[in-house]
Amino acid sequence: MKGKLEPAERQRLIEEGKNLKEGLVTLEEDLLKLTDALQQEAQCIPNMTHPDVPIGGEESSVIRKMVGSPRKFSFPVKDHLQLGKELDLLDFDAAAEVSGSKFYYLKNEAVMLEMGLINWTLSEVMKKGFTPLTTPEIVRSSVVEKCGFQPRGANTQVYSIEGSDQCLIGTAEIPVGGIHMDSIVAESLLPLKYVAFSHCFRTEAGAAGTATRGLYRVHQFSKVEMFVLCQSEESEFYHEELIKIEEDLFSSLGLHYKTLDMASVDLGAPAYRKFDVEAWMPGLERFGEISSASNCTDYQSRRLGIRYRPSEPSSTNSKKGKGSLPPPKFVHTLNATACAIPRMIVCLLENYQQEDGSVIIPEPLRPFMGGLQIIAPKSR
Amino acid sequence: MGMGGTTLQTLKLASIPSFSSSRFVFKPLPKTLTFLASSRHGRTQRPPFPLLARALSAAPAVQTASDETAVKPQWKAAIDFKWIRENKEAVALNIEKRNSNANLETVLQLYDKMTHLQKEVERLRGERNVVANKMKGKLEPAERQRLIEEGKNLKEGLVTLEEDLLKLTDALQQEAQCIPNMTHPDVPIGGEESSVIRKMVGSPRKFSFPVKDHLQLGKELDLLDFDAAAEVSGSKFYYLKNEAVMLEMGLINWTLSEVMKKGFTPLTTPEIVRSSVVEKCGFQPRGANTQVYSIEGSDQCLIGTAEIPVGGIHMDSIVAESLLPLKYVAFSHCFRTEAGAAGTATRGLYRVHQFSKVEMFVLCQSEESEFYHEELIKIEEDLFSSLGLHYKTLDMASVDLGAPAYRKFDVEAWMPGLERFGEISSASNCTDYQSRRLGIRYRPSEPSSTNSKKGKGSLPPPKFVHTLNATACAIPRMIVCLLENYQQEDGSVIIPEPLRPFMGGLQIIAPKSR
């Protein structure tokens, strides 16, 4: 229509252009809806699975490592709630009035124990080259979703803030995953290794049954979390590094535990492979999960939009000539619990209790607790 | 502190809004601006009672703009109405000097009506009992029928009166809860500019090089990230990185350790609480410009200070006198919407939505609260002196107290990057304001001598405890102080000595080579 035209020709073209435009608008609307529908469905597709992952449910998980053995007690074993009461360390009753069930106050030496665990864990993991962080505990719900969680489902674990699109985090994995959202990271910066301390909030909706007693299942807790962003070829290496760090921490504390290679049904959508550590809890008379280490490969990074530019030019792009940038690739992300404080407190109280009702503090924690060696019963 | 209903605050902001650990919703508005702001003294909305209030009271019930969104209180404060009536001139004077919008006349009228109504209800109940007793005897059928009629009328009348009494009691509570605490006689009268300096420690450091503010230091030393947090969470959120994390942990641990040495019981607390507990401490969770985050689909809120969950520990109980004073030092994260806090005093770590804080809380006998107020401010001053800060302690003026505080001492520290003093702590003596709402009493040990009629061994009546709260360490503002005051010419920051053992011996935060 830019050229010289007969009036009739011009008119014909105008008509044609108008028809095409209307057709386009309709098609573009359809494309939008289709893209949305596609996203909705496709986002449900779980990550691929590592070939060594056992197939099946919980009972199919395989023990990778077993450390220590259950302590033999020469006196009746108390659980952490009883110890907590007798040593004036915990208060669930006042918290039930103030906040609701599954909330608690820590008191006296339990506060020092929490601080000691946090500080010791941060210190140990920092020695391994991880950058320490504290994070926001209120985040936009879109970030929660991009990490693979469902903030607005029926039995969601996520607390939402009224009148806003924000939520409370259930793990520091979320705000740390969000740090490099929608960016291309220089390859030379990888791996990025973070150790983050935060409070975590979980609704625990739908978690019924016996595994809810005391500190074992609570709505709010402190946690030190490790998070790694790395090149795709290196994620399995860092998965092994993370589980080794966890195992070293738990061995240092003298815990009896087993590391499980979680079976396919138990992985959760983002994880390519997941190692859980369960520690022996004498008061509960069974193993209880104290940590989880997941290799999420590119599941989260594809949602969070985190890529890196490999340093060698791609050989298939030789058509564009030397000096052309290789296409960016998605990073791989991993996350692993360094210390979940309430369950660690359960382990320490129950395993280190003495016949006289006192609790011994494991050696590595003492310098982080002002030298405290033992939590003794208080005379009133 | 910065508060709900801060439309006034933004108008008068030449200085930094107070950042006290308490009362951040409470700054009362001058009467002339009442109709502009939806917030009022202690309360941002009125209850949905305008019709009833007008029916019961001649005085105008409403002084604020929006009535509709207020919620009826779910609980009752144990307010001493008799005392208010007997001291109404002092109470009126107090309301005046605090610039509160409480309506004393309405309260007294409602109280009057209520006592009359109560007497009427009792009288009718008495009559109904008489009728009921008469019906037990032998009666002529006509007489019995008459009594049955009478009984029925009395019952209907009673039901109506009892309903009225309930509504009256609610209306009375609503109005009376607005009355601020009385004021210590030494408190200066007036606004912020009338606050009096109790103590001045140190002097501003003289720099021989250009001073950087904490944001620039944070960027250059890779300690803070506000940009990533803005994407992930929104403005006024941040990540602490590297040595700043150690600084936060060091400050928390050192502060806890120091305050524990003074006999305080350490605590960590829930950070999600029922909104009624927030209200009982004197805050307004559901006002228009509320500082309080609410949880969707629940009656729960996030705490803005550990004062709230600690205040709630002994709710609705009678504490043995021998246990007093109860002294707690609590570490928690705190969440504040900072709605309405505009202006320059919002830069970087100075005003954020989430922060760590170590808070002191004391419950004591009524005669001892002033003593513990002095003890608390002394502990704070010792902490700040140990860190080498230059600061001043202010006796806050009447308008700045906030409804629960009988007296309030704020500490402001010199922040070279901001080139002025900034509030780092607040210590309030709330006397029995909170305890009357939280329902915390104690039984004095000596029997009351006026009760001799009942004979020896009778228990004295319980009294309300006095509560006090004081900031031991508000971490972000402390980080501002330390970074800005201890910066060196080469861009590094020295760690004050007392913190080093709590930071693995770290002595200096040095620029990192990349």
Side-chain angles (χ1 to χ4, degrees):
Chain A
M1 300 230 315
K2 289 179 185 163
K4 204 158 138 60
L5 297 165
E6 297 291 312
E9 179 75 7
R10 182 168 289 278
Q11 191 53 38
R12 196 182 62 76
L13 283 175
I14 288 172
E15 282 302 313
E16 196 178 337
K18 203 166 118 198
N19 289 337
L20 286 169
K21 179 176 170 189
E22 282 169 21
L24 251 180
V25 164
T26 310
L27 283 189
E28 280 169 345
E29 277 172 17
D30 287 346
L31 184 59
L32 218 59
K33 288 182 195 154
L34 206 51
T35 310
D36 283 345
L38 174 61
Q39 270 293 314
Q40 186 117 8
E41 291 298 324
Q43 280 180 21
C44 299
I45 297 177
N47 202 355
M48 296 304 288
T49 310
H50 190 291
D52 293 351
V53 166
I55 316 291
E58 218 171 317
E59 62 296 337
S60 306
S61 301
V62 160
I63 299 180
R64 277 172 48 103
K65 184 172 189 155
M66 177 81 86
V67 172
S69 56
R71 173 182 161 194
K72 294 199 184 339
F73 288 86
S74 56
F75 54 89
V77 166
K78 298 173 188 170
D79 76 354
H80 71 277
L81 275 175
Q82 191 179 354
L83 289 159
K85 188 161 233 144
E86 291 173 6
L87 293 168
D88 200 19
L89 301 175
L90 308 174
D91 192 337
F92 274 86
D93 295 335
E97 292 302 314
V98 171
S99 306
S101 68
K102 298 199 188 60
F103 286 98
Y104 58 97
Y105 297 82
L106 293 185
K107 299 175 69 172
N108 295 311
E109 292 94 332
V111 176
M112 300 168 69
L113 192 50
E114 160 151 342
M115 303 309 298
L117 280 164
I118 296 165
N119 290 302
W120 172 73
T121 304
L122 278 172
S123 162
E124 288 295 296
V125 179
M126 280 167 66
K127 285 182 196 164
K128 306 279 166 73
F130 284 67
T131 299
L133 291 179
T134 64
T135 79
E137 289 155 11
I138 293 178
V139 298
R140 300 183 203 272
S141 56
S142 57
V143 182
V144 178
E145 288 165 358
K146 290 174 184 178
C147 290
F149 299 88
Q150 298 297 323
R152 302 194 183 274
N155 257 357
T156 181
Q157 276 279 13
V158 181
Y159 283 102
S160 288
I161 302 288
E162 198 175 272
S164 124
D165 74 336
Q166 292 166 316
C167 310
L168 296 181
I169 62 170
T171 162
E173 173 192 341
I174 298 171
V176 177
I179 292 177
H180 299 284
M181 277 200 314
D182 301 318
S183 63
I184 301 182
V185 177
E187 196 200 45
S188 56
L189 287 180
L190 298 178
L192 283 162
K193 296 157 71 166
Y194 295 111
V195 57
F197 164 57
S198 80
H199 287 182
C200 303
F201 302 90
R202 301 187 182 188
T203 66
E204 299 295 350
T210 53
T212 59
R213 189 162 159 73
L215 286 174
Y216 192 82
R217 194 172 301 279
V218 287
H219 289 305
Q220 172 192 323
F221 57 98
S222 295
K223 182 164 66 62
V224 180
E225 182 81 359
M226 297 180 283
F227 195 93
V228 175
L229 300 93
C230 65
Q231 300 182 48
S232 45
E233 312 77 48
E234 299 185 348
S235 52
E236 287 197 49
F237 170 82
Y238 288 112
H239 200 197
E240 294 294 333
E241 180 177 296
L242 287 169
I243 192 63
K244 175 86 174 37
I245 292 173
E246 288 187 3
E247 289 166 349
D248 287 346
L249 290 169
F250 306 146
S251 293
S252 301
L253 293 177
L255 300 183
H256 164 42
Y257 64 89
K258 58 185 178 180
T259 308
L260 301 165
D261 199 345
M262 300 308 283
S264 55
V265 169
D266 260 5
L267 287 176
Y272 178 68
R273 193 175 198 186
K274 188 159 88 94
F275 301 141
D276 279 7
V277 177
E278 297 188 356
W280 181 248
M281 301 179 175
L284 283 167
E285 287 174 297
R286 58 174 175 74
F287 284 94
E289 183 190 325
I290 57 168
S291 85
S292 190
S294 296
N295 177 2
C296 297
T297 64
D298 64 355
Y299 185 97
Q300 293 180 323
S301 60
R302 285 180 177 275
R303 286 153 175 74
L304 291 165
I306 311 175
R307 294 180 294 168
Y308 69 102
R309 203 175 286 284
S311 43
E312 285 91 48
S314 160
S315 55
T316 59
N317 242 2
S318 54
K319 201 194 311 187
K320 290 198 177 160
K322 257 195 195 159
S324 68
L325 289 173
K329 298 174 68 172
F330 286 98
V331 299
H332 278 200
T333 63
L334 302 97
N335 64 80
T337 322
C339 189
I341 272 72
R343 290 202 185 169
M344 196 56 75
I345 291 181
V346 172
C347 282
L348 296 180
L349 290 182
E350 295 186 356
N351 280 293
Y352 284 99
Q353 62 182 294
Q354 307 298 302
E355 185 158 17
D356 64 1
S358 61
V359 173
I360 307 246
I361 306 292
E363 278 234 34
L365 296 179
R366 296 177 187 183
F368 295 86
M369 292 174 64
L372 188 72
Q373 299 186 345
I374 189 167
I375 303 176
K378 296 152 191 63
S379 46
R380 284 210 153 267
Chain B
M1 120 140 256
M3 45 167 281
T6 49
T7 44
L8 170 68
Q9 190 135 348
T10 57
L11 292 175
K12 68 172 186 156
L13 257 190
S15 46
I16 305 171
S18 68
F19 184 72
S20 68
S21 61
S22 60
R23 309 305 77 70
F24 42 60
V25 185
F26 261 82
K27 205 167 281 204
L29 301 172
K31 292 194 170 71
T32 52
L33 286 177
T34 315
F35 60 91
L36 289 178
S38 62
S39 150
R40 57 174 293 202
H41 166 74
R43 184 161 289 252
T44 48
Q45 263 82 23
R46 298 299 304 258
F49 277 136
L51 289 177
L52 175 67
R54 276 198 283 281
L56 293 177
S57 143
V62 180
Q63 287 198 349
T64 53
S66 59
D67 281 355
E68 304 78 32
T69 42
V71 179
K72 191 173 95 165
Q74 307 289 315
W75 47 272
K76 307 251 182 303
I79 293 174
D80 193 342
F81 296 106
K82 283 209 188 84
W83 186 91
I84 291 177
R85 191 173 56 192
E86 284 159 15
N87 294 276
K88 66 178 186 183
E89 286 81 24
V91 174
L93 197 62
N94 186 55
I95 288 173
E96 175 84 28
K97 70 181 170 187
R98 281 169 175 262
N99 244 356
S100 157
N101 290 346
N103 196 330
L104 182 57
E105 278 312 305
T106 305
V107 171
L108 292 175
Q109 284 167 19
L110 286 174
Y111 179 60
D112 216 41
K113 284 186 161 61
M114 197 195 75
T115 45
H116 280 112
L117 198 49
Q118 257 171 351
K119 288 201 183 96
E120 187 63 17
V121 165
E122 272 156 39
R123 190 183 66 81
L124 277 189
R125 284 194 187 134
E127 281 182 22
R128 194 183 59 174
N129 287 343
V130 165
V131 168
N133 280 335
K134 279 189 189 162
M135 303 231 312
K136 290 177 185 162
K138 203 159 140 65
L139 297 166
E140 295 291 310
E143 180 74 9
R144 183 167 288 279
Q145 191 53 40
R146 196 183 61 79
L147 282 174
I148 288 172
E149 282 301 314
E150 195 179 337
K152 206 169 116 196
N153 289 337
L154 285 170
K155 181 177 168 184
E156 283 169 22
L158 250 180
V159 163
T160 310
L161 283 189
E162 280 167 345
E163 276 172 18
D164 287 347
L165 185 59
L166 218 60
K167 289 182 192 154
L168 203 51
T169 311
D170 282 344
L172 175 60
Q173 269 292 315
Q174 189 105 24
E175 292 292 334
Q177 279 179 23
C178 300
I179 298 176
N181 203 355
M182 296 307 287
T183 309
H184 190 291
D186 293 350
V187 166
I189 315 292
E192 222 166 318
E193 63 294 339
S194 305
S195 299
V196 160
I197 298 180
R198 275 173 51 104
K199 184 172 188 156
M200 178 81 85
V201 172
S203 56
R205 174 181 160 192
K206 292 197 185 344
F207 288 88
S208 56
F209 54 88
V211 167
K212 300 173 186 171
D213 77 353
H214 70 278
L215 275 175
Q216 190 180 355
L217 289 160
K219 189 162 229 139
E220 292 174 5
L221 293 169
D222 199 21
L223 300 175
L224 306 174
D225 191 338
F226 275 86
D227 295 335
E231 294 300 315
V232 170
S233 305
S235 69
K236 299 199 187 58
F237 284 98
Y238 58 97
Y239 297 82
L240 293 184
K241 298 176 70 172
N242 295 310
E243 292 93 335
V245 176
M246 299 168 70
L247 193 48
E248 160 150 344
M249 302 310 298
L251 280 164
I252 296 165
N253 290 303
W254 172 72
T255 305
L256 278 173
S257 163
E258 288 296 295
V259 179
M260 281 168 65
K261 286 182 195 164
K262 307 277 164 78
F264 285 66
T265 299
L267 290 179
T268 65
T269 78
E271 290 156 10
I272 294 178
V273 297
R274 300 182 202 273
S275 57
S276 56
V277 182
V278 178
E279 289 166 358
K280 290 174 184 179
C281 289
F283 300 89
Q284 298 299 323
R286 302 193 184 274
N289 259 356
T290 181
Q291 276 279 13
V292 181
Y293 284 102
S294 289
I295 303 288
E296 199 175 272
S298 121
D299 73 335
Q300 293 165 316
C301 311
L302 296 181
I303 63 171
T305 162
E307 174 193 340
I308 298 170
V310 178
I313 291 177
H314 299 285
M315 280 200 311
D316 301 320
S317 63
I318 302 181
V319 176
E321 196 199 46
S322 57
L323 286 180
L324 299 177
L326 283 162
K327 294 157 72 167
Y328 295 112
V329 57
F331 165 57
S332 80
H333 287 182
C334 303
F335 301 90
R336 300 187 183 190
T337 66
E338 298 295 350
T344 54
T346 59
R347 190 163 158 74
L349 286 175
Y350 193 82
R351 193 171 302 280
V352 287
H353 289 304
Q354 171 192 322
F355 57 99
S356 295
K357 183 163 66 62
V358 181
E359 181 82 358
M360 297 181 283
F361 195 93
V362 174
L363 301 93
C364 65
Q365 301 183 47
S366 45
E367 312 78 49
E368 299 185 349
S369 53
E370 289 195 50
F371 171 82
Y372 288 113
H373 199 198
E374 294 294 333
E375 179 177 296
L376 287 169
I377 192 62
K378 175 86 173 39
I379 292 174
E380 288 187 3
E381 289 166 348
D382 287 346
L383 289 169
F384 306 145
S385 294
S386 301
L387 292 178
L389 300 183
H390 164 42
Y391 64 89
K392 58 185 177 179
T393 307
L394 301 166
D395 199 345
M396 300 308 284
S398 55
V399 170
D400 260 6
L401 286 178
Y406 178 68
R407 192 174 198 187
K408 187 159 88 94
F409 301 141
D410 278 9
V411 177
E412 298 187 356
W414 181 249
M415 300 179 175
L418 283 167
E419 286 175 297
R420 57 176 171 71
F421 285 94
E423 184 189 325
I424 57 169
S425 85
S426 189
S428 296
N429 176 3
C430 298
T431 63
D432 63 355
Y433 185 98
Q434 293 181 322
S435 59
R436 283 180 176 276
R437 287 154 175 73
L438 291 165
I440 310 175
R441 296 180 294 168
Y442 69 103
R443 205 174 284 283
S445 42
E446 285 89 48
S448 161
S449 53
T450 58
N451 242 2
S452 52
K453 203 193 310 187
K454 291 193 175 163
K456 258 195 195 166
S458 68
L459 287 172
K463 297 174 68 174
F464 286 97
V465 299
H466 279 200
T467 64
L468 302 97
N469 64 81
T471 322
C473 189
I475 272 74
R477 291 204 182 168
M478 196 57 74
I479 291 181
V480 172
C481 281
L482 295 179
L483 290 181
E484 296 186 354
N485 280 292
Y486 284 99
Q487 62 182 295
Q488 307 299 301
E489 186 159 16
D490 65 359
S492 60
V493 173
I494 306 248
I495 306 291
E497 277 235 32
L499 296 179
R500 297 177 188 182
F502 295 86
M503 292 173 65
L506 188 72
Q507 300 186 346
I508 189 168
I509 303 176
K512 296 154 189 60
S513 47
R514 281 209 155 271

